[in-house]
Amino acid sequence: MPSTLALDGGQPVVPSGMVQSWPPLTQADREAVLAVFDSGHLHGTSAPKALELQEKWAAYVGTKYALVTNSGTASIHMAVAAAGLGPGDEVITSAFTYWSTAAAVLHHNAVPVFVDIDPRTYTMDPALIEERITGYTRAILPVHIHGMVADMDPIREIARKHNLVVIEDACQAHGATYKGVKTGALGDIGCFSCNRSKNLSGGEGGLWTTDNEEYLAHAAKLREFGEVVLPDRQREYNAYGLGWMYRPHEFVNAFILAQLERLDEYNAQRRQFANYLTKALAEIPGFEGPYTPDYADPCYFSYVVSFEPQQLGLDVTPETWKRAVQKAAAAEGIGLGQWQTRPVPSQDVFRDRVGYGKGCPWTCPYGSGQVRYDEEYPRTLDFIAGHAYLSGVYPPNTMELMKLYVDGFQKLSENAERVLELARD
Ligand SMILES: *Cc1c(COP(=O)(O)O)cnc(C)c1O
């Protein structure tokens, strides 16, 4: 006899209040922020914690240089600008991402062009890139989504062949590796977010990496109003070009530094949880964990569950099965969330090409004027329809919770017909 679903009055599998939120906060974090408070150094790209974080992040990633910024979006915009992209230039990126990736391209009056994903890794499919390259293409912007690295060798090969810059959106992939090399060191420029949810959290914040001195100098100007602001030089108060205000607060730098001390340990726990869940789900009809190619050591920003009704002999779509399970799982105390609801190019900002207004950047005289977004991205649509995100697969949660999750999936699988019936009501 399968146990009674919580929706039918049974005992929920996960006790309420058990799932803890990210990130874990410690006394070390508190002391790091308070030390800044007491130090008198609250501000500036040459403040002690800013410089220390830049040095430590570059060392961690394996690049020569890093910059602190105030968001992942700022980092990507700085990358687009530093690479010399501008009005009408085309940047090829993934149809499946948070739209900030593409917004940062628009911020510089450049034009995003989208490719569909590899259905197994949910990152951009390198086989679809070349058909999108035109005389206007200047860069490829792969996104390491959910902590999974994009397949970088073929991407870099295409970039070399067509003389394109590679900018990594690594906002969801701090510490993930591709063939042993960390994200942020896999392209010409790497971009990270440190917003509350990210593997390396500062509440808000961002990081930027490169080996290229020219890009570094350009990005640093972009970060501070177009000026050159250096620790060992009198500030000139002269803007060399258009810039933004992408400086982080010194509290945030200190907080990120404190979290960075524990990043590897946290990522190791995420991997342990993910490996355990994926093994267990392989034995439970109706669900699968994420696929991991040989080249990748993901850092599991999100733990992705795919819905496989055919494994249970159910004649419904993955999406119908997913929606039914989400409802029953919520009652069991298991969060199976939805993230993106459509491919990025299907959002109104692209469909209507609103941008700055007056058609820019799409009808800007420097561009092709040809980029439109009316096509479908079938693999992205399938991925969105057939997957959900399991909450709490990170510390300070423990294996105890992961074991309860497995019990919960088992219960939902055993009660599959009833789960579907309850969703129809
Ligand atoms: C979070 C995120 C961003 C933006 O980072 P912010 O710090 O929120 O600006 C960009 N791309 C991806 C893939 C992200 O997950």
Side-chain angles (χ1 to χ4, degrees):
M1 265 295 285
S3 49
T4 311
L5 292 170
L7 277 181
D8 278 328
Q11 182 79 17
V13 175
V14 178
S16 85
M18 183 174 175
V19 182
Q20 297 192 64
S21 63
W22 177 262
L25 299 175
T26 68
Q27 190 56 26
D29 297 326
R30 257 176 222 106
E31 283 167 10
V33 175
L34 283 174
V36 170
F37 189 87
D38 293 330
S39 74
H41 287 285
L42 299 183
H43 159 272
T45 46
S46 303
K49 294 297 160 186
L51 297 178
E52 185 183 341
L53 178 52
Q54 289 180 170
E55 202 176 306
K56 285 195 170 153
W57 188 245
Y60 181 84
V61 168
T63 52
K64 285 193 196 148
Y65 311 107
L67 293 174
V68 293
T69 77
N70 58 14
S71 75
T73 311
S75 294
I76 303 168
H77 182 195
M78 280 162 54
V80 168
L85 275 61
D89 291 339
E90 293 175 14
V91 179
I92 298 178
T93 191
S94 176
F96 182 62
T97 179
Y98 178 59
W99 103 270
S100 146
T101 313
V105 174
L106 292 181
H107 289 337
H108 226 62
N109 231 331
V111 177
V113 171
F114 298 94
V115 299
D116 212 348
I117 54 173
D118 176 316
R120 293 213 293 177
T121 62
Y122 34 86
T123 58
M124 75 195 298
D125 185 345
L128 301 175
I129 294 174
E130 272 192 300
E131 65 197 50
R132 292 295 154 101
I133 294 176
T134 71
Y136 296 88
T137 309
R138 298 285 309 282
I140 308 177
L141 208 177
V143 184
H144 307 305
I145 207 85
H146 303 331
M148 169 63 70
V149 286
D151 190 0
M152 293 303 291
D153 277 351
I155 292 172
R156 284 187 298 215
E157 189 46 45
I158 295 165
R160 233 189 325 266
K161 192 169 140 197
H162 298 272
N163 199 20
L164 308 173
V165 178
V166 177
I167 299 167
E168 300 173 74
D169 179 343
C171 288
Q172 299 190 358
H174 315 68
T177 62
Y178 179 84
K179 300 185 178 175
V181 178
K182 288 206 180 85
T183 63
L186 293 163
D188 297 297
I189 304 173
C191 309
F192 298 86
S193 166
C194 297
N195 85 20
R196 199 273 316 158
S197 69
K198 304 297 161 82
N199 286 50
L200 179 61
S201 180
E204 295 285 5
L207 291 157
W208 187 97
T209 53
T210 195
D211 282 334
N212 183 312
E213 263 171 52
E214 244 175 78
Y215 293 165
L216 176 79
H218 198 154
K221 279 188 218 141
L222 253 295
R223 180 176 62 169
E224 279 189 284
F225 313 101
E227 295 181 48
V228 174
V229 185
L230 292 170
D232 49 5
R233 215 167 103 176
Q234 177 81 18
R235 189 163 169 178
E236 209 185 334
Y237 289 103
N238 174 44
Y240 286 86
L242 189 54
W244 281 261
M245 209 317 269
Y246 286 163
R247 245 180 1 220
H249 196 285
E250 188 73 340
F251 285 168
V252 170
N253 296 329
F255 184 24
I256 295 172
L257 273 167
Q259 288 273 327
L260 178 55
E261 291 291 316
R262 309 190 304 274
L263 174 61
D264 281 340
E265 179 193 324
Y266 290 161
N267 277 348
Q269 281 175 284
R270 285 176 185 262
R271 287 176 179 127
Q272 185 199 2
F273 297 162
N275 292 338
Y276 170 78
L277 289 167
T278 302
K279 246 196 193 142
L281 290 181
E283 305 300 322
I284 302 176
F287 309 103
E288 291 295 338
Y291 159 78
T292 302
D294 288 341
Y295 57 69
D297 190 10
C299 64
Y300 298 99
F301 168 69
S302 296
Y303 186 78
V304 177
V305 177
S306 88
F307 291 78
E308 312 282 345
Q310 78 291 349
Q311 291 180 355
L312 288 156
L314 299 170
D315 188 21
V316 296
T317 63
E319 186 167 23
T320 301
W321 171 232
K322 177 180 78 170
R323 287 186 194 280
V325 169
Q326 282 174 316
K327 187 175 164 194
E332 302 293 345
I334 300 170
L336 280 168
Q338 185 65 42
W339 189 52
Q340 296 302 295
T341 58
R342 70 201 76 193
V344 170
S346 301
Q347 296 190 29
D348 284 356
V349 57
F350 291 105
R351 286 289 163 100
D352 300 343
R353 303 200 306 174
V354 284
Y356 290 95
K358 298 189 178 174
C360 295
W362 294 280
T363 55
C364 146
Y366 297 102
S368 73
Q370 303 298 313
V371 178
R372 306 199 61 87
Y373 304 99
D374 354 273
E375 73 182 279
E376 302 281 321
Y377 294 82
R379 295 180 193 164
T380 298
L381 287 168
D382 283 349
F383 181 84
I384 290 169
H387 290 78
Y389 303 90
L390 182 57
S391 308
V393 185
Y394 42 70
N397 297 306
T398 63
M399 280 301 282
E400 193 192 348
L401 177 66
M402 305 308 133
K403 287 180 177 152
L404 291 178
Y405 279 164
V406 171
D407 294 346
F409 281 107
Q410 190 70 49
K411 184 178 179 184
L412 293 161
S413 178
E414 284 168 6
N415 288 282
E417 295 283 358
R418 181 67 184 143
V419 167
L420 278 172
E421 197 177 298
L422 284 161
R424 280 194 284 266
D425 297 345

